[in-house]
């Protein structure tokens, strides 16, 4: 029928099938210059590799405009050009399909499946004072949990926060992490693990005496186990581990989390969050760890495998964060100090931009939210395995930079202001109320920036969220790479293109009836953009701002 919400992947699949080749020949355009002439391109180089002389059979080309499907975009004529085969979307119809009644911007993406993931963040067990490098892995785990939940995945976060410690910086950063004194069954679980150690062929008793052995339960020979099991990807320096009660408690907590996952939905079929995972389990374990703690986590990983040889321990994966380098000053700084420094800098930058207005008490929450946004984007907009450099100079934070969290929040607030202004104008009788979606005329949307917003952001948004939540299997070993920077980069680019459009186009025009059709269509488009902002920011625990 051609009805339903279009998707990029479904459209590309239909285009590739039309040419009768298994290879993925078509690509979606995204640059403003190319989008003036085409929306999809099959590059000449790809065609030359797939067809003799690069000549596509005319009958294949002629079928492209007639492609139909529930998630396929409506297409116009397909043309041979020097760049390759090009096709444009029938844009008014695409606007209608995406902005019309019940567009469903947040429906699950293709391939989404329900499963369970245990996210383990060792930084929350570690030192008394958190550092920025610890914040990176904690923020990443928090964001990943939100992304997975948005895809229907059950997430269990480990460890529970020890109530004897102060976690104020986590509260300030709006990190949603469970707390508690621990499960009442943990002591029994630790005792069971001690009993398992006594039966373990890899374990040997420790000699009594002072020094390193103090407080140690036994020695476990990790290297021999790794070799016997033909495990790959582990540090070759793994050898003898002095097992302590703290380690056994960590293993017991992980076991408890797995059990919670297994009973959370007992009717669910076995599934794994890892695509093509050979093991049959409904729980996957991801250790989100900074690179400085990776070795210790590998030790715990192998210890758990030895003590609990079930299928779930074989599903352990390590998502490793790169180093966080702090400059100006380069001295060690705690996470609390880092937050307070960024908050002071954001306050000063806001006063500089907005004057005395930013000193009003009502701005306290705004400054707090801008600070959280600045830190989250600073930590999460870089690929997780790459190094981050934090410049703590006074001028290193700004409300103006287009790559910052503050810039994203500013543009989200501009949308809120736009719709507040429209509602006030309706109340004053300047404009009529926004008509039902079924009565809007989307053929009025002809401005270049309007198609850019729809084609690059509203259309692919569900697939962007789906991609960001994927935890692909490594080709070998235990490390995985996730696209945890995707949402931040998406929001930054959306903010730049929205800002460019908003600065160029006067959405709320003169109150002349002949201009209302275009204004109403634009408001519907920007309402959908606002929904995308809000949904994406929710995965970062950032509330939308109504003013800035």
């Amino acid at each position: 029928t051609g009805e339903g919400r279009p998707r990029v992947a479904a459209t590309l699949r239909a285009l590739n099938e039309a040419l009768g080749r298994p290879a993925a020949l078509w690509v979606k355009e995204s640059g403003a210059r190319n989008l003036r002439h085409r929306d999809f391109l099959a590059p000449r180089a790809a065609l030359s590799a797939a067809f003799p002389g690069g000549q596509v059979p005319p009958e294949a080309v002629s079928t492209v405009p007639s492609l139909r499907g529930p998630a396929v975009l409506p297409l116009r004529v397909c043309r041979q050009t020097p760049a390759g085969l090009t096709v444009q979307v029938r844009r008014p119809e695409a606007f209608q399909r995406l902005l019309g009644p019940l567009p469903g911007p947040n429906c699950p993406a293709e391939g989404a499946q329900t499963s369970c993931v245990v996210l383990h963040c060792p930084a929350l067990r570690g030192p008394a004072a958190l550092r920025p490098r610890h914040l990176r892995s904690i923020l990443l785990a928090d964001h990943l949990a939100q992304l997975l939940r948005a895809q229907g995945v059950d997430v269990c976060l480990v460890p529970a926060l020890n109530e004897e410690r102060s976690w104020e910086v986590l509260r300030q950063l709006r990190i949603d992490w469970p707390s508690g004194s621990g499960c009442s069954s943990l002591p029994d679980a630790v005792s069971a693990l001690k009993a398992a150690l006594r039966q373990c062929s890899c374990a040997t008793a420790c000699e009594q005496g002072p020094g390193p052995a103090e407080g140690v339960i036994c020695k476990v020979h990790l290297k021999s186990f790794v070799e016997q099991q033909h495990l790959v990807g582990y540090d070759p320096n793994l050898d003898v581990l002095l097992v302590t009660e703290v380690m056994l408690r960590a293993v017991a907590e992980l076991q408890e989390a797995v059990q919670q996952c297994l009973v959370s939905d007992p009717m669910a079929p076995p599934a794994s969050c890892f695509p093509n995972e050979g093991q049959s389990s409904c729980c996957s374990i991801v250790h989100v760890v900074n690179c400085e703690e990776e070795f210790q986590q590998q030790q715990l990983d192998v210890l758990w495998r030895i003590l609990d040889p079930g299928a779930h321990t074989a599903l352990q994966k390590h998502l490793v964060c790169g180093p966080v380098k702090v400059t100006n000053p380069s001295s060690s700084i705690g996470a609390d100090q880092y937050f307070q420094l960024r908050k002071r800098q954001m306050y000063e930058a806001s006063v500089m931009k907005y004057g005395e207005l930013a000193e009003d008490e009502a701005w306290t929450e705004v400054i707090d939210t801008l600070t959280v946004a600045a830190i989250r984007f600073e930590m999460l907009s870089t690929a997780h395995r790459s190094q981050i450099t934090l410049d703590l100079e006074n001028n290193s934070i700004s409300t103006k930079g287009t790559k910052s969290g503050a810039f994203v929040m500013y543009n989200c607030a501009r949308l809120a202001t736009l719709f507040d202004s429209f509602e006030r104008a309706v109340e004053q009788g300047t404009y009529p109320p926004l008509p039902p979606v079924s009565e809007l005329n989307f053929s009025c949307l002809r401005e270049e920036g309007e198609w850019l917003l729809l084609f690059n952001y509203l259309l692919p948004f569900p697939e962007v969220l789906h991609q960001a939540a994927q935890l692909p299997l490594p080709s070998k070993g235990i490390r995985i790479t996730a696209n945890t920077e995707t949402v931040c980069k998406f929001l930054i680019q959306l903010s730049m293109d929205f800002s460019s459009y908003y600065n160029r186009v006067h959405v709320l025009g003169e109150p002349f009836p002949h201009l209302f059709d275009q204004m109403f269509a634009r408001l519907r488009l920007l309402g959908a953009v606002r929904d995308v902002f809000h949904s994406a920011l929710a995965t970062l625990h950032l509330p939308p701002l109504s003013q800035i």
Side-chain angles (χ1 to χ4, degrees):
T1 62
E3 295 301 320
R5 192 186 199 284
R7 293 191 184 279
V8 175
T11 304
L12 287 171
R13 187 163 53 247
L15 284 167
N16 286 316
E17 289 172 355
L19 299 189
R21 291 292 186 274
L25 302 177
W26 291 88
V27 294
K28 174 190 172 294
E29 293 286 8
S30 58
R33 179 179 298 176
N34 287 336
L35 286 175
R36 292 169 192 158
H37 313 291
R38 62 188 186 237
D39 295 315
F40 294 96
L41 169 71
R44 182 157 298 283
L47 295 176
S48 297
F51 297 95
Q55 294 301 308
V56 183
E59 59 272 19
V61 175
S62 64
T63 63
V64 169
S66 60
L67 292 176
R68 296 289 184 272
V72 177
L73 282 162
L75 303 173
R76 292 174 57 193
V77 65
C78 181
R79 293 187 175 90
Q80 288 270 13
T81 71
L85 274 182
T86 67
V87 67
Q88 269 194 323
V89 173
R90 295 204 299 271
R91 295 184 176 183
E93 191 176 332
F95 275 113
Q96 178 66 42
R97 292 262 300 276
L98 279 155
L99 301 177
L102 302 175
N106 297 319
C107 58
E110 293 178 12
Q113 62 179 2
T114 301
S115 57
C116 179
V117 175
V118 172
L119 291 180
H120 173 223
C121 198
L124 293 170
R125 303 183 186 279
L130 291 174
R131 303 289 179 190
R133 70 175 184 272
H134 302 122
L135 277 188
R136 184 180 190 185
S137 59
I138 297 167
L139 285 167
L140 192 145
D142 178 69
H143 177 45
L144 186 55
Q146 288 295 92
L147 290 168
L148 289 167
R149 287 167 180 149
Q151 298 299 313
V153 177
D154 289 328
V155 178
C156 187
L157 299 172
V158 180
L161 300 180
N162 185 339
E163 293 178 340
E164 295 176 2
R165 283 182 58 183
S166 171
W167 301 101
E168 179 64 14
V169 70
L170 303 191
R171 185 194 64 78
Q172 291 171 321
L173 286 167
R174 297 184 170 90
I175 292 170
D176 184 17
W177 204 275
S179 61
S181 56
C183 176
S184 59
S185 64
L186 278 182
D188 292 340
V190 171
S191 297
L193 290 171
K194 288 179 180 178
L197 276 173
R198 288 192 290 270
Q199 304 297 320
C200 179
S201 61
C202 298
T204 57
C206 285
E207 303 81 2
Q208 295 299 316
E214 190 172 345
V216 172
I217 297 169
C218 69
K219 295 180 182 178
V220 171
H221 299 270
L222 305 180
K223 193 166 192 173
S224 59
F225 179 82
V226 169
E227 292 171 349
Q228 290 166 11
Q229 299 296 315
H230 306 292
L231 301 177
V232 294
Y234 289 88
D235 192 303
N237 294 311
L238 284 180
D239 196 357
V240 175
L241 175 65
L242 302 179
V243 180
T244 64
E245 182 122 0
V246 171
M247 293 177 187
L248 294 184
R249 185 177 178 86
V251 170
E253 279 190 276
L254 287 165
Q255 285 181 318
E256 176 68 23
V258 169
Q259 288 304 313
Q260 287 178 11
C261 276
L262 295 177
V263 300
S264 61
D265 188 4
M267 300 303 293
S272 169
C273 195
F274 301 105
N276 305 316
E277 181 65 78
Q279 298 284 349
S280 176
S281 170
C282 47
C283 189
S284 303
I285 301 103
V286 180
H287 305 290
V288 184
V289 61
N290 69 65
C291 56
E292 296 180 22
E293 296 166 347
E294 184 182 8
F295 183 78
Q296 288 85 351
Q297 186 52 48
Q298 287 191 17
Q299 291 178 317
L300 194 69
D301 171 317
V302 178
L303 176 63
W304 190 14
R305 288 174 187 259
I306 291 170
L307 294 172
D308 184 1
H312 50 271
T313 57
L315 291 180
Q316 294 182 81
K317 307 298 174 189
H318 297 241
L319 197 155
V320 182
C321 297
V324 176
K325 182 181 178 183
V326 178
T327 64
N328 301 317
S330 58
S331 60
S332 181
I333 184 172
D336 296 280
Q337 295 169 288
Y338 167 58
F339 179 86
Q340 294 303 326
L341 175 64
R342 285 289 185 246
K343 183 175 179 179
R344 178 175 58 78
Q345 292 170 345
M346 186 58 72
Y347 170 76
E348 292 170 353
S350 298
V351 169
M352 187 175 295
K353 182 172 183 177
Y354 301 105
E356 293 182 2
L357 181 66
E359 298 181 13
D360 189 276
E361 282 188 15
W363 270 69
T364 302
E365 182 65 22
V366 173
I367 299 297
D368 285 346
T369 301
L370 289 175
T371 303
V372 175
I375 290 174
R376 281 185 174 263
F377 275 75
E378 194 167 42
M379 290 286 185
L380 296 174
S381 58
T382 300
H384 68 83
R385 295 186 72 165
S386 301
Q387 175 176 294
I388 291 176
T389 300
L390 301 181
D391 186 349
L392 302 183
E393 283 280 279
N394 285 335
N395 61 359
S396 67
I397 198 167
S398 169
T399 59
K400 297 179 181 179
T402 58
K403 307 268 187 198
S404 71
F407 178 71
V408 171
M409 302 306 291
Y410 168 66
N411 281 285
C412 189
R414 291 172 86 183
L415 277 165
T417 301
L418 167 70
F419 283 94
D420 285 345
S421 299
F422 174 70
E423 292 299 332
R424 285 198 303 272
V426 170
E427 291 170 4
Q428 294 164 5
T430 306
Y431 301 128
L434 192 66
V437 176
S438 58
E439 297 177 14
L440 297 181
N441 179 11
F442 293 111
S443 64
C444 297
L445 298 177
R446 302 187 189 94
E447 217 277 337
E448 180 180 287
E450 290 157 0
W451 181 245
L452 204 68
L453 289 172
L454 184 103
F455 195 60
N456 283 349
Y457 304 104
L458 300 188
L459 171 66
F461 179 59
E463 291 161 280
V464 167
L465 288 183
H466 181 64
Q467 178 196 19
Q470 290 302 292
L471 299 171
L473 270 178
S475 56
K476 61 178 182 177
I478 55 174
R479 277 192 174 198
I480 60 171
T481 301
N483 300 307
T484 51
E485 75 280 8
T486 299
V487 171
C488 285
K489 287 187 173 180
F490 176 88
L491 280 168
I492 289 168
Q493 196 62 50
L494 169 58
S495 298
M496 292 171 67
D497 284 339
F498 164 73
S499 181
S500 174
Y501 170 76
Y502 196 72
N503 291 339
R504 192 171 63 249
V505 175
H506 193 49
V507 178
L508 300 181
E510 295 295 327
F512 299 136
H514 69 281
L515 299 177
F516 287 163
D517 277 1
Q518 185 178 60
M519 181 181 71
F520 290 149
R522 284 174 169 170
L523 284 170
R524 175 63 180 173
L525 170 67
L526 295 180
V529 170
R530 177 187 58 186
D531 292 343
V532 165
F533 264 111
H534 291 187
S535 295
L537 288 171
T539 69
L540 296 160
H541 282 126
L542 287 170
L545 291 177
S546 58
Q547 63 165 10
I548 194 168

